[in-house]
Amino acid sequence: MHETENTTGAHTGDMPRVVSDIIDVSDADWQALRDGEHGEPHRILGVHPVRHEGVLGVVVRAYHPEAVSADCIFPSHDSSPLRLIRTGGLFAAFFSDKGIPFAYHVRFHFADGNAWERDEPYRFLPTMGDMDLHLFNEGRHLRAWTCFGAHCRRVEGVDGVSFAVWAPNAVRVSVVGDFCRWDGRLFPMRRMGSSGLFELFIPGFESGGLYKYEIKTKDGAIRLKADPYGQSMEGPPGNATRVYQSHYEWNDASWMSTLPERDYRREPMAVYEVHLGSWARVPEEGNRLLTYRELAPRLAEHAKRLGFTHIELLPVAEHPLGASWGYQVTGYYAPTWRHGDPDDFRYFVDVCHQQGIGVILDWVPAHFPKDDFALRRFDGTALYEHDDPRQGEHPDWGTLVFNYGRREVRTFLLANALYWLKEFHIDGLRIDAVASMLYLDYSRSEGDWIPNAYGGKENIEALEFLRELNETIRAECPGRMTIAEESTAWGGVTKPTALHGLGFTFKWNMGWMHDTLSFFQKDPIYRRYHQQDLTFAMLYESTEAFVNAISHDEVVHGKRSLLEKMPGDIWQQFANLRTLLTYQYTRPGKKHLFMGAELAPHDEWNYDASLDWHLAHDPMRIGLRRFIEALGALYLDTECLWRCDPDPHGFEWIECNDCENSVLSYLRRHDQQERIVVLNLTPTPRDEYCIGVSTPGWYECTLCSDETHYSGSGYAMMQRVHTDERGAHGRSHSLLLRLPPLCAVVYAPIP
């Protein structure tokens, strides 16, 4: 085992020219490597087969700009020196008795007497295949997270981590971290042809290690970037990506097996919206956040007791600023470090599923922040965003807009959606800010936006992306739902894409929410003039599959808490709140309520503090909690309250025009089951209030929000009532009811 000449000479010394030509590199290659501008370091570094004087061997080259000498270390632990062939740290040797594959380490020696031995990353073949490159560039690599980012792998019997990143306009990309003292000269990555991808396998790198990409741009700038596909990140003040390898074993097979057969539109669905950082904290430990593992059993049990079927989490993808509530995402593939590691989050979802609770995530494909360590001008150009601010910036949020027309960006987002659904068993995605994606002129003044190719304001690329997103999820993850937060009158949000709709499972009913809260905030003496606020939504109810959402947005920024929106004294406020919730739960549409409503706090939601759990011991709140539990149980157990949500015949007004008394009455039905709901929206009791019914016989009250058990007045309402043969409201029979003040009652015919 030997090098073919004396290895102690300098590059221009006594070495035969023919061997110098074999082990040396071109001046252009050396200059690019030395200047940190070589996009194909594997072409010169590592091991290369060569023939010298009829002998087929290999040339080994290694580079470290601070080294004064280097040795090649063989598996037998024997070593052979490498020649310094370029002043500045390029070493090489020719071995006549070696072939490829050739396993070796390099030991670098430094002027201070220290040495560094490493397995040589440039001796390995690419870890990405041609199909990966093709699918990515076509915008159809739906499992991009399995090859992009950082992955622990065994290559040629060697453990290490493979890195892959898209930076098509970069001159050079390097992996940097503590392992190399953040020196971008040491681990430049291999450019994968014309794909725009860079790749490198670093042997010996382990799970848990921190890294970033150092990118040299065409204008010579150095940019230090977190990994767009990174699956774990460190917390502030750092923002590096952490290599992570999952070892989680799931225990929710029973839950997952039911998903493909589920039809959420015809199932009960009540969503408890949660911000994990402020649901509960540990004040005795400095206001410490709970971990995913601490939250899981407590939150699942709480939601289940209140009758919720799903928990919806404000974004858990990594974000540097807690005040953004998670909506300023910088790590799209990384569950936030704030509550634990990715397997801890898997545990959270697993426990929820085992308790019969689904998990929905808020997902943010509409915009991303301008933090320079993240996606913004990733390779020195507008890569993920548009270059023109009239297309690429959101004036409302100071964020950037994804370029949905770019295939690689679509791959990034489509794969990200599937990543959460597949890797974390998420049951659905609530898509944030859909309206801002649909319109090119969203929150923009005249002249501050660019029309589409047809001169219109519709964002055609975003429309195509949303349709593709919903089609892809439906095909790849049967039984998962998508929910659009869409605040305009855009038609067909929940229609199938085959019928030119967007293909969402549900849409938030923002109109219902605004009108309903507006009505309930009015003093009862004025409600007679605004009853249409409650009835108007039924005119368009069947145009979409709706979720009646009262979300976090309604209890912040001076809008007041839900309780404080209600007029009157404290008793009337609670009575109004119980009536509002009954109306929400008994009308068509799925249910959605932000955490804390069960505690009825006086203060607005504060993302940086725990909910006011001490209020749970207040008698009025105890009554409210009992009521929400009863309301949730009624909803889940009463098929006519949800089975026909998509069908107009599942709801019918009995009387919606009694503005003088501020009373609403309506019927919910499915097959032979029906329920009568009556709302008295003033503090005045209504004795012998007549409503028409079609089914004669006895009716029983199944819920009354005024019971003393619920902190109501206990007004002497009628538990059972028999129909009168006199008809009313176009029906053959009638009921004379006694309606308590500010109350909702639900009656069922007794078979």
Side-chain angles (χ1 to χ4, degrees):
M1 180 188 308
H2 62 281
E3 217 246 305
T4 60
E5 59 166 321
N6 188 331
T7 60
T8 60
H11 170 60
T12 57
D14 57 358
M15 179 170 50
R17 181 62 186 165
V18 64
V19 177
S20 296
D21 291 343
I22 290 172
I23 68 173
D24 201 3
V25 298
S26 70
D27 290 341
D29 275 332
W30 166 240
Q31 182 176 346
L33 184 66
R34 180 194 63 196
D35 295 344
E37 296 182 349
H38 209 301
E40 300 177 69
H42 291 72
R43 196 176 73 209
I44 56 174
L45 300 178
V47 56
H48 302 270
V50 295
R51 185 178 295 277
H52 173 56
E53 295 182 349
V55 177
L56 181 63
V58 297
V59 166
V60 171
R61 300 189 191 95
Y63 173 64
H64 195 300
E66 307 298 334
V68 295
S69 64
D71 299 315
C72 186
I73 312 298
F74 305 105
S76 63
H77 303 296
D78 293 335
S79 65
S80 180
L82 300 176
R83 174 190 292 272
L84 179 67
I85 62 171
R86 295 279 180 165
T87 301
L90 184 61
F91 302 88
F94 172 71
F95 298 99
S96 60
D97 57 349
K98 294 296 180 184
I100 293 179
F102 174 30
Y104 65 94
H105 286 206
V106 175
R107 182 184 295 131
F108 295 104
H109 300 273
F110 305 98
D112 62 2
N114 288 316
W116 178 29
E117 183 176 327
R118 76 183 193 198
D119 198 343
E120 182 61 13
Y122 299 100
R123 71 180 180 87
F124 294 93
L125 294 172
T127 56
M128 299 185 73
D130 291 340
M131 185 57 70
D132 290 321
L133 307 183
H134 172 74
L135 290 174
F136 177 74
N137 289 138
E138 286 295 311
R140 292 297 300 170
H141 202 316
L142 300 181
R143 295 183 63 83
W145 72 88
T146 62
C147 56
F148 285 85
H151 296 277
C152 296
R153 302 183 191 277
R154 176 175 284 263
V155 179
E156 298 178 14
V158 178
D159 292 327
V161 174
S162 65
F163 298 87
V165 65
W166 179 54
N169 301 301
V171 172
R172 183 260 302 165
V173 181
S174 297
V175 182
V176 295
D178 290 334
F179 67 98
C180 66
R181 297 183 178 180
W182 299 88
D183 190 337
R185 300 171 297 175
L186 300 186
F187 290 97
M189 304 176 74
R190 167 181 15 220
R191 186 188 296 273
M192 302 294 290
S194 61
S195 66
L197 302 176
F198 287 81
E199 180 272 350
L200 184 67
F201 174 73
I202 301 182
F205 207 116
E206 297 179 343
S207 179
L210 295 175
Y211 71 98
K212 284 189 179 183
Y213 295 119
E214 183 183 282
I215 298 174
K216 191 166 187 177
T217 67
K218 290 180 178 178
D219 61 4
I222 298 293
R223 301 181 67 76
L224 206 56
K225 292 288 190 177
D227 192 339
Y229 286 87
Q231 297 182 17
S232 179
M233 296 183 73
E234 69 170 337
N239 45 46
T241 310
R242 189 183 304 277
V243 176
Y244 189 81
Q245 184 175 23
S246 174
H247 298 284
Y248 192 77
E249 296 184 7
W250 290 90
N251 297 288
D252 63 347
S254 177
W255 173 275
M256 297 299 292
S257 67
T258 67
L259 293 183
E261 307 303 321
R262 301 192 70 163
D263 181 1
Y264 288 109
R265 293 189 180 184
R266 297 187 179 276
E267 293 182 12
M269 181 173 153
V271 178
Y272 185 61
E273 186 186 26
V274 174
H275 176 256
L276 289 178
S278 57
W279 185 72
R281 294 195 175 194
V282 187
E284 17 335 323
E285 297 180 21
N287 205 30
R288 177 179 70 81
L289 300 177
L290 295 177
T291 66
Y292 293 122
R293 291 179 181 266
E294 289 173 322
L295 283 160
R298 293 174 57 180
L299 187 49
E301 191 276 333
H302 182 73
K304 186 174 183 178
R305 185 175 68 249
L306 294 177
F308 290 101
T309 62
H310 291 76
I311 292 170
E312 180 179 319
L313 302 178
L314 270 64
V316 299
E318 197 56 83
H319 51 283
L321 183 65
S324 78
W325 312 337
Y327 291 98
Q328 303 265 5
V329 180
T330 52
Y332 273 79
Y333 285 80
T336 180
W337 62 273
R338 292 167 174 83
H339 308 285
D341 64 33
D343 276 358
D344 293 332
F345 183 59
R346 288 181 171 90
Y347 175 86
F348 175 90
V349 178
D350 201 351
V351 168
C352 288
H353 284 173
Q354 292 176 55
Q355 292 296 316
I357 301 293
V359 180
I360 301 168
L361 286 190
D362 274 16
W363 188 59
V364 192
H367 59 110
F368 59 92
K370 295 180 179 179
D371 298 75
D372 202 53
F373 71 86
L375 296 180
R376 174 183 173 270
R377 300 193 73 83
F378 188 79
D379 63 357
T381 67
L383 192 60
Y384 287 87
E385 70 270 35
H386 294 271
D387 197 34
D388 192 322
R390 294 176 296 173
Q391 295 174 293
E393 293 193 20
H394 269 308
D396 283 355
W397 307 308
T399 53
L400 301 174
V401 181
F402 282 105
N403 184 348
Y404 306 107
R406 193 161 198 168
R407 291 190 296 270
E408 295 88 349
V409 174
R410 289 162 81 107
T411 282
F412 175 79
L413 291 172
L414 289 171
N416 184 246
L418 295 180
Y419 170 73
W420 293 103
L421 299 176
K422 289 177 176 287
E423 291 291 325
F424 295 94
H425 292 196
I426 296 300
D427 297 277
L429 300 175
R430 176 265 194 185
I431 317 300
D432 181 64
V434 170
S436 74
M437 301 172 67
L438 298 177
Y439 300 97
L440 294 167
D441 65 341
Y442 184 87
S443 284
R444 299 179 189 273
S445 303
E446 189 67 31
D448 290 336
W449 59 282
I450 300 176
N452 62 34
Y454 304 100
K457 63 181 181 179
E458 297 80 10
N459 189 333
I460 295 173
E461 290 82 8
L463 288 170
E464 292 173 349
F465 165 72
L466 289 172
R467 291 185 175 114
E468 185 177 10
L469 170 72
N470 286 312
E471 290 172 355
T472 300
I473 289 175
R474 189 170 293 108
E476 293 286 325
C477 301
R480 315 298 175 89
M481 72 181 86
T482 56
I483 305 169
E485 186 212 14
E486 204 288 304
S487 56
T488 74
W490 186 283
V493 172
T494 59
K495 284 185 178 179
T497 56
L499 299 178
H500 308 293
L502 296 184
F504 284 92
T505 315
F506 296 108
K507 170 182 173 175
W508 272 16
N509 196 338
M510 307 291 279
W512 170 85
M513 179 273 297
H514 284 297
D515 291 346
T516 299
L517 293 183
S518 174
F519 176 87
F520 272 91
Q521 289 180 82
K522 291 180 172 58
D523 189 294
I525 197 171
Y526 301 116
R527 287 178 176 176
R528 69 179 68 183
Y529 307 111
H530 300 278
Q531 194 147 311
Q532 69 276 7
D533 287 349
L534 291 187
T535 61
F536 178 72
M538 287 309 305
L539 295 178
Y540 58 82
E541 185 68 36
S542 61
T543 61
E544 303 280 5
F546 283 118
V547 174
N548 303 326
I550 301 178
S551 75
H552 63 278
D553 279 328
E554 310 317 314
V555 291
V556 289
H557 300 325
K559 296 179 183 177
R560 296 177 294 169
S561 70
L562 206 54
L563 181 70
E564 288 299 313
K565 293 179 192 290
M566 304 295 109
D569 59 27
I570 190 66
W571 185 91
Q572 291 186 359
Q573 286 181 306
F574 273 91
N576 271 301
L577 182 54
R578 293 191 300 270
T579 304
L580 164 63
L581 294 175
T582 308
Y583 176 55
Q584 179 191 27
Y585 268 67
T586 57
R587 73 180 306 280
K590 306 311 177 185
K591 322 307 172 188
H592 176 113
L593 194 61
F594 185 55
M595 67 179 196
E598 68 274 28
L599 297 173
H602 294 284
D603 296 329
E604 291 184 340
W605 168 53
N606 177 6
Y607 78 93
D608 204 25
S610 171
L611 293 180
D612 295 331
W613 290 105
H614 63 278
L615 294 176
H617 303 293
D618 173 73
M620 294 292 287
R621 272 84 181 182
I622 292 173
L624 177 63
R625 189 197 69 237
R626 290 170 178 163
F627 176 73
I628 293 177
E629 291 175 3
L631 181 61
L634 174 75
Y635 173 68
L636 295 178
D637 294 340
T638 309
E639 193 171 1
C640 67
L641 294 180
W642 41 264
R643 179 69 72 185
C644 289
D645 276 348
D647 304 327
H649 67 264
F651 175 93
E652 185 178 331
W653 288 115
I654 296 174
E655 175 58 86
C656 62
N657 294 313
D658 187 5
C659 302
E660 187 62 28
N661 290 305
S662 290
V663 174
L664 279 178
S665 54
Y666 49 90
L667 170 71
R668 297 300 309 276
R669 65 159 65 94
H670 168 67
D671 288 342
Q672 302 303 311
Q673 187 184 71
E674 63 180 41
R675 293 293 183 270
I676 304 296
V677 183
V678 187
L679 310 178
N680 180 9
L681 300 165
T682 74
T684 304
R686 308 291 178 189
D687 293 332
E688 296 189 346
Y689 188 86
C690 179
I691 63 166
V693 294
S694 299
T695 303
W698 285 97
Y699 282 72
E700 182 173 28
C701 181
T702 59
L703 183 73
C704 173
S705 67
D706 190 54
E707 289 186 26
T708 55
H709 189 60
Y710 307 139
S711 300
S713 71
Y715 187 82
M717 51 82 63
M718 305 171 72
Q719 185 62 39
R720 287 194 174 195
V721 59
H722 196 275
T723 54
D724 193 297
E725 293 185 356
R726 292 172 294 180
H729 301 122
R731 291 166 172 79
S732 58
H733 294 73
S734 61
L735 293 173
L736 285 179
L737 303 177
R738 186 179 297 125
L739 303 180
L742 288 173
C743 177
V745 293
V746 180
Y747 278 90
I750 300 175

Short mmCIF file of all heavy atoms in Angstrom, two decimals, residues 3 56 94 125-126 150 168 200 332 359 517 535 558 563 657:
data_model
loop_
_atom_site.label_atom_id
_atom_site.label_comp_id
_atom_site.label_asym_id
_atom_site.label_seq_id
_atom_site.Cartn_x
_atom_site.Cartn_y
_atom_site.Cartn_z
N GLU A 3 1.97 5.28 -2.01
CA GLU A 3 1.81 6.35 -2.98
C GLU A 3 2.95 6.22 -3.96
O GLU A 3 4.03 5.74 -3.61
CB GLU A 3 1.86 7.69 -2.25
CG GLU A 3 0.89 8.71 -2.83
CD GLU A 3 1.66 9.86 -3.45
OE1 GLU A 3 2.48 10.48 -2.78
OE2 GLU A 3 1.42 10.11 -4.62
N LEU A 56 -4.24 0.91 -12.56
CA LEU A 56 -5.49 1.53 -12.14
C LEU A 56 -5.49 1.66 -10.62
O LEU A 56 -5.37 0.66 -9.91
CB LEU A 56 -6.70 0.71 -12.59
CG LEU A 56 -8.07 1.30 -12.23
CD1 LEU A 56 -8.27 2.64 -12.93
CD2 LEU A 56 -9.18 0.33 -12.63
N PHE A 94 -1.84 9.44 -4.55
CA PHE A 94 -2.27 8.39 -5.46
C PHE A 94 -1.94 7.05 -4.84
O PHE A 94 -0.81 6.82 -4.38
CB PHE A 94 -1.57 8.53 -6.82
CG PHE A 94 -1.83 7.38 -7.74
CD1 PHE A 94 -3.07 7.20 -8.32
CD2 PHE A 94 -0.81 6.45 -8.00
CE1 PHE A 94 -3.31 6.12 -9.17
CE2 PHE A 94 -1.05 5.37 -8.85
CZ PHE A 94 -2.30 5.22 -9.43
N LEU A 125 -21.30 8.44 -2.50
CA LEU A 125 -22.19 8.78 -3.60
C LEU A 125 -23.38 9.58 -3.09
O LEU A 125 -23.67 9.58 -1.89
CB LEU A 125 -22.68 7.50 -4.29
CG LEU A 125 -21.60 6.68 -5.00
CD1 LEU A 125 -22.18 5.35 -5.48
CD2 LEU A 125 -21.00 7.45 -6.17
N PRO A 126 -24.13 10.24 -3.98
CA PRO A 126 -25.30 11.02 -3.55
C PRO A 126 -26.34 10.15 -2.87
O PRO A 126 -26.53 8.98 -3.23
CB PRO A 126 -25.83 11.62 -4.85
CG PRO A 126 -24.69 11.59 -5.79
CD PRO A 126 -23.88 10.38 -5.42
N ALA A 150 -32.37 17.06 6.90
CA ALA A 150 -31.31 16.25 7.49
C ALA A 150 -31.88 14.91 7.94
O ALA A 150 -32.91 14.87 8.61
CB ALA A 150 -30.68 16.97 8.68
N PRO A 168 -31.15 27.08 -5.89
CA PRO A 168 -30.70 27.05 -7.29
C PRO A 168 -29.81 28.21 -7.70
O PRO A 168 -29.02 28.08 -8.64
CB PRO A 168 -32.01 27.05 -8.08
CG PRO A 168 -33.02 27.66 -7.15
CD PRO A 168 -32.61 27.20 -5.79
N LEU A 200 -25.21 16.54 0.65
CA LEU A 200 -23.97 16.10 1.29
C LEU A 200 -24.30 15.10 2.39
O LEU A 200 -25.24 15.30 3.15
CB LEU A 200 -23.21 17.30 1.90
CG LEU A 200 -21.84 16.97 2.52
CD1 LEU A 200 -20.86 16.54 1.44
CD2 LEU A 200 -21.30 18.17 3.30
N TYR A 332 -41.45 25.11 8.95
CA TYR A 332 -42.70 24.49 8.53
C TYR A 332 -42.77 22.99 8.84
O TYR A 332 -43.86 22.42 8.92
CB TYR A 332 -42.92 24.72 7.03
CG TYR A 332 -43.63 26.02 6.75
CD1 TYR A 332 -42.95 27.24 6.76
CD2 TYR A 332 -45.00 26.05 6.51
CE1 TYR A 332 -43.62 28.43 6.53
CE2 TYR A 332 -45.67 27.25 6.28
CZ TYR A 332 -44.97 28.43 6.29
OH TYR A 332 -45.63 29.61 6.07
N VAL A 359 -57.40 15.54 16.27
CA VAL A 359 -56.52 16.71 16.38
C VAL A 359 -56.43 17.39 15.02
O VAL A 359 -56.09 16.76 14.02
CB VAL A 359 -55.11 16.32 16.86
CG1 VAL A 359 -54.21 17.55 16.96
CG2 VAL A 359 -55.18 15.61 18.21
N LEU A 517 -72.52 37.61 17.00
CA LEU A 517 -71.91 38.35 18.10
C LEU A 517 -72.39 39.79 18.13
O LEU A 517 -72.56 40.38 19.21
CB LEU A 517 -70.38 38.29 17.99
CG LEU A 517 -69.76 36.91 18.21
CD1 LEU A 517 -68.24 36.99 18.14
CD2 LEU A 517 -70.19 36.29 19.54
N THR A 535 -81.07 35.69 11.77
CA THR A 535 -81.77 34.88 10.77
C THR A 535 -81.12 34.92 9.39
O THR A 535 -81.32 34.03 8.57
CB THR A 535 -83.23 35.35 10.64
OG1 THR A 535 -83.26 36.72 10.22
CG2 THR A 535 -83.95 35.22 11.97
N GLY A 558 -58.93 44.24 21.97
CA GLY A 558 -59.99 45.17 22.34
C GLY A 558 -61.39 44.70 22.04
O GLY A 558 -62.35 45.44 22.28
N LEU A 563 -67.70 36.67 27.59
CA LEU A 563 -68.62 37.07 28.64
C LEU A 563 -68.83 38.59 28.63
O LEU A 563 -69.97 39.07 28.75
CB LEU A 563 -68.10 36.64 30.01
CG LEU A 563 -69.00 37.00 31.19
CD1 LEU A 563 -70.28 36.15 31.18
CD2 LEU A 563 -68.26 36.84 32.52
N ASN A 657 -89.85 35.78 12.78
CA ASN A 657 -90.20 37.20 12.62
C ASN A 657 -90.85 37.82 13.86
O ASN A 657 -91.39 38.92 13.77
CB ASN A 657 -91.14 37.36 11.42
CG ASN A 657 -90.44 37.01 10.12
OD1 ASN A 657 -89.33 37.45 9.86
ND2 ASN A 657 -91.11 36.19 9.29
#
